[in-house]
């Protein structure tokens, strides 16, 4: 007999076997003890009834730049995790840059963990960084709790996180393979970007035009980077994960690597799935990111790749900055910070576009809960609504529509390209390990998120 501390139920629970009325029983440790009949509520149990809302596993967002310490004025643990909870995300994994120090040593990871204490509304894990010369830090980082690593093949935008070359990657990937964690890669090579940029400057191309920015980061930068990573993956057998994939032309390279049995996965982001280059107004620097948002046909190819499983998951790549750095007044794409803020809206943006193309709630849960949990080594514990997993849940209404109001965004800065858009998918309540983190428009106090 299971002693039930709490029961969360709904007429529409997205369990592994489909959508049905059910009750989720949470044990004293915040784990799912059982998924039972809707009316199987033991006497004395604390009941959270989500009514007709869809109850599904909370989202796991494996690509978030929290930036604290060092650039806390861009984003911090409290603001990012409040936004996450309000957006149905119950676990996020922080990127090793743009904080100072960058998470490239065990000491830097400890500094982040200390900053995060008491500031988390959802659970948070950390990626470490692979940079030139920090190979001796990789094992200590994993021992200190890093879930894996991230590296750049091109300038990252910040000086403390330099890119790696093939000569750095070869020994690092042997080490990463031994540590049995993934290496996440910003897959663009610098040479095609430098060549394109030089040609645009020589031609006097206008930096306020989106077409200029798009042309400065050609698909060849992604294609050549992925070709390099496929080769190194084959050599080292290290788990490689391509972050924020944009170029449709490189998808066959990923598909072939998978068919060959290589341990290579890839993600794309809500902004690549929503926007298209043809629709980006000139000077709209809130839409600058790298790689860039490409054409409409490219966007549809990304959707097909998600459906076919060539792309495994959707992560936000929430990468905010101080608003002035977006240079919105000047509208200069070359000078603006590259990064899109969208953490809180990730679920609604992706669902709005997915449902329009006939995808199901089960697809959404696979792309945004189960697959990212697997990437972070949290399979079975996070991202799944099944006995034994943490009771990380979201109750939401996929069919309810809302207009994005920056005043209701919990990110540190409300700058977002989604402002004013009408989206489908309103989050009602978010639970982290069985405790409400967000509900009725408000956050629980005190925060109950933990460092993973
Ligand atoms: Zn990023």
């Amino acid at each position: 007999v299971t002693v039930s501390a709490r029961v969360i139920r709904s007429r529409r629970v997205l369990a592994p076997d489909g959508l049905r009325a059910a009750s989720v029983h949470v044990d004293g440790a915040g784990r799912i003890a059982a998924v039972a009949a809707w009316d199987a509520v033991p006497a004395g149990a604390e009941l959270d009834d989500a009514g007709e809302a869809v109850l599904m596993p909370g989202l796991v967002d494996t690509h978030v730049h929290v930036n604290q310490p060092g650039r806390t004025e861009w984003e911090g643990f409290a603001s990012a995790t409040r936004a996450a909870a309000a957006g149905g995300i119950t676990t996020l994994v922080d990127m090793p840059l743009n904080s100072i120090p960058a998470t490239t040593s065990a000491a830097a990871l400890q500094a982040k963990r200390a900053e995060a204490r008491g500031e988390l509304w959802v659970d948070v894990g950390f990626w470490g960084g692979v940079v030139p010369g920090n190979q001796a830090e990789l094992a200590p980082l994993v021992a200190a709790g890093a879930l894996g690593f991230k590296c750049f093949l091109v300038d990252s935008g910040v000086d403390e996180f330099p890119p790696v070359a093939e000569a750095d990657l070869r020994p690092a990937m042997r080490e990463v393979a031994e540590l049995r964690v993934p290496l996440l890669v910003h897959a663009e090579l610098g040479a095609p970007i430098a060549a394109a940029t030089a040609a645009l400057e020589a031609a006097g191309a206008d930096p306020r035009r989106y077409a200029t920015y798009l042309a400065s980061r050609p698909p060849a930068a992604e294609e050549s980077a992925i070709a390099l990573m496929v080769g190194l993956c084959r050599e080292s057998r290290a788990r490689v994960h391509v972050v924020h994939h944009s170029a449709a032309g490189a998808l066959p390279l990923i598909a072939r690597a998978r068919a060959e049995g290589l341990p290579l996965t890839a993600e794309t982001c809500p902004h690549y799935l929503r926007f298209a280059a043809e629709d980006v107004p000139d000077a709209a620097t809130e839409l600058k990111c790298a790689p860039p948002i490409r054409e409409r046909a490219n966007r549809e190819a990304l959707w097909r790749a998600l459906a076919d499983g060539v792309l495994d998951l959707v992560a936000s790549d929430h990468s905010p900055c101080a608003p002035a750095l977006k240079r919105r007044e000047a509208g200069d794409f070359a000078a603006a910070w590259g990064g899109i803020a969208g953490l809180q809206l990730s679920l609604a943006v992706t669902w709005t576009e997915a449902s329009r193309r006939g995808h199901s709630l089960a697809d959404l849960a696979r792309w945004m809960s189960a697959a990212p949990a697997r990437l972070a080594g949290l399979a079975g514990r996070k991202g799944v609504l099944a006995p034994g997993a943490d009771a990380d849940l979201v109750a939401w209404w996929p069919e309810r529509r809302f207009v994005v109001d920056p005043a209701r965004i919990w990110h540190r800065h409300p700058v977002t390209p989604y402002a004013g858009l009408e989206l489908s998918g309103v989050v009602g309540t978010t639970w982290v390990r069985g405790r409400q983190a967000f509900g009725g428009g408000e956050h629980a106090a005190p925060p109950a998120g933990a460092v993973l």
Side-chain angles (χ1 to χ4, degrees):
V1 176
T2 311
V3 180
S4 221
R6 184 189 284 265
V7 172
I8 303 167
R9 75 175 177 186
S10 162
R11 293 288 180 182
R12 292 194 290 172
V13 174
L14 187 68
D17 55 345
L19 201 60
R20 58 184 167 86
S23 60
V24 178
H25 296 231
V26 182
D27 69 19
R31 281 188 290 264
I32 298 174
V35 182
W38 181 83
D39 53 5
V41 180
E46 225 181 297
L47 176 66
D48 275 2
D49 195 330
E52 303 280 333
V54 165
L55 187 67
M56 73 174 212
L59 273 54
V60 177
D61 190 340
T62 47
H63 196 149
V64 179
H65 296 268
V66 174
N67 306 334
Q68 183 179 356
R71 289 194 179 88
T72 310
E73 70 278 14
W74 293 13
E75 190 67 280
F77 286 109
S79 49
T81 59
R82 277 175 183 268
I89 296 160
T90 47
T91 298
L92 63 81
V93 188
D94 174 53
M95 279 295 172
L97 70 163
N98 308 313
S99 54
I100 306 172
T103 322
T104 51
S105 68
L109 178 55
Q110 296 306 353
K112 278 208 183 185
R113 296 172 73 108
E115 291 269 330
R117 203 163 298 134
E119 300 275 299
L120 304 181
W121 269 266
V122 303
D123 286 355
V124 172
F126 294 97
W127 299 120
V130 170
V131 292
N134 82 326
Q135 204 189 321
E137 285 291 339
L138 304 186
L141 268 163
V142 170
L147 302 174
F149 298 98
K150 160 94 178 278
C151 69
F152 272 71
L153 304 183
V154 67
D155 175 43
S156 73
V158 294
D159 295 337
E160 342 56 81
F161 204 93
V164 284
E166 193 173 344
D168 306 305
L169 276 170
R170 204 160 261 122
M173 285 175 76
R174 271 198 301 272
E175 182 83 18
V176 167
E178 243 166 67
L179 292 166
R180 307 177 69 85
V181 293
L183 176 64
L184 284 65
V185 185
H186 179 123
E188 285 182 297
L189 286 190
I193 294 170
T197 304
L200 288 160
E201 278 170 8
D206 181 357
R208 298 182 78 254
R209 291 195 57 223
Y210 186 70
T212 303
Y213 178 62
L214 179 61
S216 76
R217 301 195 85 111
E222 289 187 71
E223 288 156 17
S224 54
I226 288 171
L228 170 68
M229 291 313 300
V230 168
L232 290 169
C233 178
R234 186 182 292 122
E235 208 175 289
S236 64
R237 295 284 152 170
R239 257 177 81 198
V240 171
H241 178 75
V242 176
V243 293
H244 52 50
H245 186 74
S246 174
L251 291 168
L253 290 173
I254 296 173
R256 278 202 294 278
R258 304 280 289 259
E260 193 188 323
L262 298 182
L264 186 134
T265 54
E267 78 192 23
T268 191
C269 310
H271 38 278
Y272 301 122
L273 296 168
R274 164 80 195 196
F275 298 112
E278 293 91 331
D279 306 325
V280 178
D282 290 339
T285 53
E286 65 273 19
L287 283 158
K288 178 181 176 181
C289 58
I293 291 161
R294 302 189 189 280
E295 296 82 355
R296 221 169 274 138
N298 187 92
R299 176 184 69 194
E300 297 314 310
L302 294 178
W303 274 110
R304 283 194 298 279
L306 271 174
D308 295 346
V310 173
L311 293 176
D312 301 79
L313 63 98
V314 178
S316 71
D317 191 11
H318 177 68
S319 182
C321 63
L325 296 178
K326 272 299 197 185
R327 312 282 175 104
R328 191 61 177 87
E329 309 294 279
D332 182 340
F333 278 101
W337 170 257
I340 286 181
L343 181 65
Q344 186 177 326
L345 301 165
S346 198
L347 170 65
V349 171
T350 308
W351 174 244
T352 301
E353 297 300 315
S355 56
R356 192 175 277 173
R357 291 169 178 80
H359 299 298
S360 68
L361 291 168
D363 293 329
L364 191 75
R366 190 171 77 248
W367 298 329
M368 301 188 83
S369 298
R374 206 177 307 125
L375 171 67
L378 301 169
R381 177 175 168 201
K382 299 292 190 189
V384 63
L385 200 164
D390 285 350
D392 294 350
L393 302 166
V394 55
W396 64 297
W397 290 274
E399 35 307 270
R400 286 194 191 164
R401 300 182 68 80
F402 70 104
V403 174
V404 177
D405 174 3
R408 301 182 71 172
I409 287 177
W410 293 89
H411 311 157
R412 170 139 302 166
H413 303 290
V415 177
T416 172
Y418 302 108
L421 292 184
E422 193 186 35
L423 300 176
S424 300
V426 172
V427 172
T429 308
T430 308
W431 293 264
V432 176
R433 282 171 285 103
R435 292 167 68 178
Q436 266 200 32
F438 176 83
E442 288 180 6
H443 291 85
V451 170
L452 296 171

